[in-house]
Amino acid sequence: LYLVYKTWVVFGFWTLAWTGLVTTLSGTILGNLIGSRAESKGKITYNPKEWPKFLNIIICAFVGYYLFTIINVPSISETDFYFGLCYLILLTALPIIWETYKLFRDRNDFVEIDVEFISYKDNKKTGKFEILKIKKAEGLVNLTLHFKDETTHTIALSEMNFNGTDKASLLKEINSRLPKIEETEQKV
């Protein structure tokens, strides 16, 4: 409670309220603004776009700079300055650095679906799976493929810059292409 009180004293309640609202809306809107689904020549590719997330990082950096200008005035005490600086480093600078690192690390990741296969690239990990061998797909954080031979494979969508909407769309797309159990039994 003291830290919350001290933060309000240093930055002001309304300043924290509107900057928090701006960064929350920015992350929510820009994180889900642009879908990653593209269809070309019978292939559906989910390749998350980086520019909305990069724009969110820039907005958060500007908010952090604005908060720094509030504490970087001669009238603020040295204690309040260092408290505010620690707040900005821990709650603005470090998250920006982490998100920038993840953005560049995961920038070329994708999942591709064609008539016969599901393939993916997650940094150096790749995989290609025949759709007819998949029994079901599930998971909204990470995609788990359950195969007919009772094995599974997990694709770490949480480490591939996918947003929630794209994860749900990908799962629905994969499940719609899987052969129905009745059709498979009739062919056997």
Side-chain angles (χ1 to χ4, degrees):
L1 290 175
Y2 173 75
L3 292 176
V4 171
Y5 168 75
K6 185 71 173 167
T7 305
W8 286 350
V9 168
V10 172
F11 292 106
F13 173 76
W14 292 111
T15 300
L16 289 177
W18 81 261
T19 57
L21 181 65
V22 166
T23 55
T24 302
L25 288 176
S26 171
T28 303
I29 293 170
L30 291 174
N32 293 304
L33 176 68
I34 303 296
S36 65
R37 185 182 190 277
E39 194 168 345
S40 176
K41 298 178 184 176
K43 289 184 181 183
I44 296 173
T45 304
Y46 285 84
N47 183 1
K49 308 219 179 336
E50 288 82 21
W51 71 264
K53 294 178 184 193
F54 186 68
L55 187 57
N56 180 47
I57 290 169
I58 290 172
I59 289 169
C60 290
F62 277 123
V63 167
Y65 176 74
Y66 171 74
L67 290 173
F68 179 75
T69 62
I70 290 174
I71 63 169
N72 194 27
V73 293
S75 61
I76 197 163
S77 72
E78 188 175 346
T79 306
D80 287 350
F81 174 78
Y82 286 119
F83 178 85
L85 193 59
C86 288
Y87 173 88
L88 290 175
I89 289 169
L90 291 174
L91 297 177
T92 304
L94 291 178
I96 286 173
I97 291 168
W98 176 247
E99 289 302 316
T100 303
Y101 166 73
K102 286 187 351 182
L103 182 68
F104 284 101
R105 178 193 68 188
D106 301 332
R107 71 184 176 278
N108 295 319
D109 296 348
F110 66 86
V111 176
E112 188 174 75
I113 306 167
D114 63 20
V115 176
E116 296 181 46
F117 297 99
I118 295 170
S119 56
Y120 78 97
K121 179 181 178 293
D122 176 13
N123 295 325
K124 293 182 181 181
K125 294 182 233 168
T126 60
K128 189 171 187 175
F129 310 102
E130 191 174 352
I131 292 176
L132 290 175
K133 293 182 179 180
I134 301 172
K135 181 170 47 174
K136 72 176 179 177
E138 65 183 5
L140 288 177
V141 175
N142 293 314
L143 178 67
T144 302
L145 302 174
H146 296 269
F147 297 95
K148 293 177 182 173
D149 65 359
E150 302 303 321
T151 60
T152 62
H153 184 82
T154 300
I155 300 172
L157 298 178
S158 60
E159 299 174 5
M160 298 173 71
N161 280 335
F162 275 73
N163 63 36
T165 305
D166 290 331
K167 289 176 186 178
S169 176
L170 174 63
L171 181 63
K172 183 178 177 183
E173 186 73 44
I174 290 172
N175 280 324
S176 73
R177 291 175 177 254
L178 295 180
K180 305 295 181 244
I181 294 172
E182 299 82 27
E183 293 173 15
T184 308
E185 289 173 353
Q186 289 175 358
K187 289 181 182 178
V188 173

